[in-house]
Amino acid sequence: MTVSAMLTLLVQGFGKSLEIFTLTLLGSLPLGLVVYFARKSRFSPLRWLTKVYIAIMRGTPLMLQVMVVYYGPSLLLGMTLPRNWRFAAVIVAFVINYAAYFAEIYRGGIESISAGQYEAAQVLGYRRGQTFFRIILPQMVKRVLPSVTNEVITLVKDTSLASVIGTVEMFTRAKQIVASPNTPGMLALAAAVEQGSSHPLAQAIVREAQRRQLSIPLASGQRALAGSGIEAEVNGSRILICAASKA
C-alpha cells in the first residue's frame, strides 16, 4: 500500500471522527440544559427518572451504551432498523451520554451563583425565565468553561469507541492499514494525529465561546457599570444592584 493511499484512508477516517465529534456536541450541549431542567423539576417522578438516567449514563461504560443503542431495538423490541442505523446509533449513544455529564456540569455552575443574583433580578422586575437567561446563564457559561473543555477533549478521544459496532472512523482505518504489509507505524501515526488535534480543537471552541459570551440585556432605565453591576431606577431612586461576581 502506497503512502498516499494510507494517508487518504486516514483522512477519510479523521473526517468521520470529526463528524461524530461535531454532531455529538451539537446535540449534547443543549440537551444537557434540558436534562438539568428535568433534574430540578418540581414534578417528583420526572426528577427521579432524570436522576436515574444520569446515574446510568455516568456509571456505565460508553462502549456498552453504544452496543445497547445499536443492538437493543432489534434484539429486545424486534424492530427492523434502517441500513444507516449504525452511524445513527453512535450519535444517539454519544449524545445521551455526554448530555448527562453536561447536565451535572451546568448544575454545578448554576448552584455556585449566589442567591443575591436572584434577589437583585426580582427587584429589577425580571420574571423567572428572564432571570435565568439574562442573569444566571451568562455567568454559568463563564464558570463551566474549564469543565466543558475537559469533556470536549475527552470526546475527541472517545470517538474511537464507535469502532465497537463497525463504524469506520480514524482508528478503524488505521487498523485496516496495519493489516497490510510494511505498515506497522500507522496506529502510532493515527494516535498522534488524533491527540495532536484534540487540544487545539478544544481550545479553539473555548476561545470562540469566550468571544461570544452571553451578555445581560438591560431594560429601559438601566445601565451597566463596569466591574460593579447594574444601576437601575426603583421607585424613583437610582440604586446599584446585581453586583457581578468574577469567576
Side-chain angles (χ1 to χ4, degrees), residues 41 45 53 85 87 97 107 131-132 161-162 165 238 240:
S41 173
Y53 154 73
W85 173 241
F87 181 73
N97 176 273
R107 184 169 69 90
T131 299
F132 180 80
L161 296 177
I165 59 172
R238 303 200 67 82
L240 174 65

Side-chain angles (χ1 to χ4, degrees), residues 40-223:
K40 304 297 289 185
S41 173
R42 297 179 180 177
F43 184 56
S44 56
L46 176 60
R47 186 171 63 251
W48 182 82
L49 287 175
T50 305
K51 290 180 180 179
V52 172
Y53 154 73
I54 292 175
I56 293 174
M57 291 297 105
R58 299 178 68 195
T60 56
L62 178 56
M63 179 184 296
L64 176 62
Q65 295 168 20
V66 171
M67 297 176 67
V68 169
V69 172
Y70 179 63
Y71 294 109
S74 58
L75 294 179
L76 300 178
L77 303 177
M79 298 174 58
T80 301
L81 301 174
R83 295 173 61 89
N84 60 349
W85 173 241
R86 190 187 308 273
F87 181 73
V90 170
I91 301 302
V92 170
F94 273 61
V95 167
I96 62 176
N97 176 273
Y98 274 85
Y101 282 92
F102 285 135
E104 289 299 282
I105 291 173
Y106 296 159
R107 184 169 69 90
I110 292 171
E111 291 182 355
S112 69
I113 297 174
S114 66
Q117 301 290 312
Y118 296 91
E119 296 169 357
Q122 186 177 8
V123 172
L124 285 172
Y126 285 110
R127 294 187 296 272
R128 186 176 180 181
Q130 291 176 316
T131 299
F132 180 80
F133 288 104
R134 296 187 178 187
I135 304 295
I136 305 304
L137 184 61
Q139 298 179 67
M140 181 272 287
V141 169
K142 182 177 180 180
R143 297 185 183 201
V144 303
L145 276 178
S147 299
V148 170
T149 302
N150 290 337
E151 291 301 317
V152 169
I153 293 174
T154 301
L155 173 58
V156 174
K157 295 179 285 187
D158 279 349
T159 56
S160 61
L161 296 177
S163 62
V164 72
I165 59 172
T167 301
V168 182
E169 42 70 58
M170 188 171 184
F171 272 93
T172 304
R173 289 297 189 189
K175 287 187 288 186
Q176 291 173 352
I177 295 172
V178 169
S180 302
N182 303 320
T183 57
M186 281 300 105
L187 279 177
L189 176 60
V193 171
E194 186 161 2
Q195 291 298 315
S197 63
S198 62
H199 290 272
L201 183 60
Q203 292 300 325
I205 292 174
V206 171
R207 283 195 299 268
E208 182 66 15
Q210 290 174 333
R211 188 178 71 83
R212 295 174 175 269
Q213 188 176 17
L214 299 172
S215 60
I216 301 175
L218 303 179
S220 176
Q222 303 170 12
R223 65 187 182 91

